[in-house]
Amino acid sequence: MSISLAQETQNISSGTPSGLSGLEEKLIAYRRELHQHPELSNQEFVTTQKITQWLNAAGIRILSLGLKTGVVAEIGPEQGPVVALRGDIDALPIEEASGVTFSSQQPGVMHACGHDFHTSVILGAAYLLKAREQTLPGRVRLFFQPAEERFGGASQLIKAGALENVDAIFGLHNAPELPVGTFATKGGAFYANVDRFQITVTGKGAHAAHPEEGTDSIVTASHIVTALQTVVSRNVSAQDAAVVSVTRIEGGNTWNVLPQTVELEGTVRTYSSEIREYLPQRIRKVITGVADALGAQAELHWYAGPPAVVNTPRWAEFALQAAAEFGYDAQVAQAQMGGEDFAFYLHHVPGAFVSIGSASHFGLHHPQFNPDESAIYPAANYFQQLAEKALVELAGE
Ligand SMILES: [Zn+2]
Ligand SMILES: [Zn+2]
């Protein structure tokens, strides 16, 4: 952590009302509370109650958007620009193995992506902004978004009207691979287009001793898996990034029968929308061609996931600059192959998604994921400052 970051923290704790004393401890306590009681996507009922309670306690107004889960709140005067800050609140179907004293009390459910961390950061920013409400040149809207892991939450909030009048939006993800005190983002494509596919290979079942009487769907599926490896290596330019991964293969249920069908499943990651459109066509050709050659059939089912997170260059640069001024080690991020439904907001309003170093030895979605909580309070302060700076910038336009 740099010196200026420590100074910043001091300024804030000495220059703000007494309600904010001990805010760092409070935010860590909130995060642990959420961590112990994780809830899956679209089932964040208790989480929603807790966030509502914590916002109410600070006198922060909550917008009634008719959400089933999730909370949208607002701070600042009616007139002027609107800046949104987005955190996400859902957990994953993972059995926690981090060994922390505040481990999940919900069997098979864990905050393994750090959305409890994000919630705590945005709550902290909300508290800090509330204390400065009289001086804000516009409104800050706070999104506590459900169902990020299922890629549905952002669309739910948009449909409910959460983006109305928003001039710029910012969101964060903790980055376990970066040290605490590190900040990263980039303009343009940051996270990938995430698509899912299923392939059904249909042959003709037969006795395993008489393969000549059937059409072997397992051998066909195996050739398909191998042939799919050529899609990126032979059909996509080395200048462009893409991934095709087969992640599930299922067929047969005993040792002496050739099954009729085999199911394959996997994911495709891309940045450019042209390549995103091209790959399913190419995959369809490869699988039907291979299946045809071997006397079987293959059918492709395509499930489009969230589009790439494409940061507005202006706001990515703005966030990076604000991070450097704040005292973060601010870096231009590398593009990631992961997906984020924050992408949907950026289809409607400009903004930027950023990474905050959380220094976990184990990565996101790992049962031993354990982000460093000391990154929460500085991040809360950063987002308070970022929101204010953005409001000032927008108010001056
Ligand atoms: Zn996740
Ligand atoms: Zn996440």
Side-chain angles (χ1 to χ4, degrees), residues 221-232 235 282 286-287 290:
S222 306
H223 279 284
I224 284 176
V225 172
T226 307
L228 285 177
Q229 307 311 307
T230 64
V231 171
V232 172
N235 301 126
R282 184 67 207 142
V286 167
I287 68 165
V290 170

Side-chain angles (χ1 to χ4, degrees), residues 304-328:
V309 172
V310 182
N311 280 340
T312 313
R314 172 199 176 186
W315 289 116
E317 185 49 46
F318 189 87
L320 202 58
Q321 178 77 32
E325 284 163 19
F326 181 71
Y328 271 123

Side-chain angles (χ1 to χ4, degrees), residues 3-273:
I3 289 166
S4 54
L5 196 56
Q7 274 173 348
E8 201 57 59
T9 302
Q10 240 171 25
N11 287 344
I12 278 164
S13 49
S14 60
T16 43
S18 56
L20 287 178
S21 69
L23 181 58
E24 175 161 21
E25 292 71 26
K26 207 181 222 174
L27 295 181
I28 288 176
Y30 287 168
R31 187 250 156 177
R32 292 184 177 192
E33 172 73 20
L34 295 171
H35 194 83
Q36 282 184 302
H37 306 284
E39 294 175 296
L40 295 173
S41 305
N42 287 320
Q43 296 170 32
E44 311 93 335
F45 297 105
V46 177
T47 306
T48 297
Q49 263 173 22
K50 285 183 177 144
I51 295 167
T52 305
Q53 228 171 55
W54 294 331
L55 289 168
N56 279 335
I60 295 168
R61 69 177 177 272
I62 290 166
L63 305 187
S64 37
L65 298 180
L67 298 169
K68 202 176 75 155
T69 56
V71 184
V72 178
E74 210 171 67
I75 297 165
E78 277 303 313
Q79 66 283 7
V82 181
V83 167
L85 299 179
R86 180 273 211 165
D88 41 13
I89 65 172
D90 55 328
L92 286 157
I94 292 175
E95 182 73 31
E96 177 155 15
S98 71
V100 296
T101 53
F102 50 92
S103 283
S104 169
Q105 294 178 4
Q106 197 66 39
V109 185
M110 175 190 178
H111 268 296
C113 205
H115 296 183
D116 51 344
F117 178 114
H118 306 162
T119 302
S120 180
V121 167
I122 300 302
L123 267 170
Y127 277 48
L128 292 161
L129 285 160
K130 182 66 186 171
R132 299 165 59 82
E133 190 165 27
Q134 303 311 319
T135 64
L136 295 179
R139 273 173 288 165
V140 181
R141 200 171 291 161
L142 307 136
F143 292 10
F144 298 90
Q145 184 208 297
E148 193 288 321
E149 297 291 356
R150 301 276 298 274
F151 299 134
S155 303
Q156 289 170 31
L157 256 61
I158 294 168
K159 228 183 243 164
L163 275 187
E164 224 157 275
N165 300 321
V166 169
D167 296 290
I169 184 165
F170 298 95
L172 79 148
H173 211 289
N174 76 94
E177 70 282 7
L178 297 178
V180 174
T182 309
F183 175 100
T185 190
K186 72 184 285 291
F190 185 14
Y191 282 57
N193 296 302
V194 175
D195 297 316
R196 178 166 79 91
F197 63 82
Q198 273 179 317
I199 297 166
T200 307
V201 179
T202 308
K204 183 165 172 266
H207 195 295
H210 293 286
E212 74 283 2
E213 288 173 7
T215 303
D216 193 334
S217 57
I218 288 188
V219 168
T220 307
S222 306
H223 279 284
I224 284 176
V225 172
T226 307
L228 285 177
Q229 307 311 307
T230 64
V231 171
V232 172
S233 71
R234 305 294 86 182
N235 301 126
V236 176
S237 157
Q239 308 297 321
D240 293 310
V243 173
V244 175
S245 287
V246 176
T247 56
R248 183 174 69 86
I249 173 162
E250 230 173 282
N253 50 19
T254 188
W255 66 282
N256 56 0
V257 176
L258 292 170
Q260 179 99 358
T261 60
V262 172
E263 284 276 336
L264 301 173
E265 191 170 11
T267 183
V268 171
R269 308 288 166 110
T270 50
Y271 293 117
S272 106
S273 43

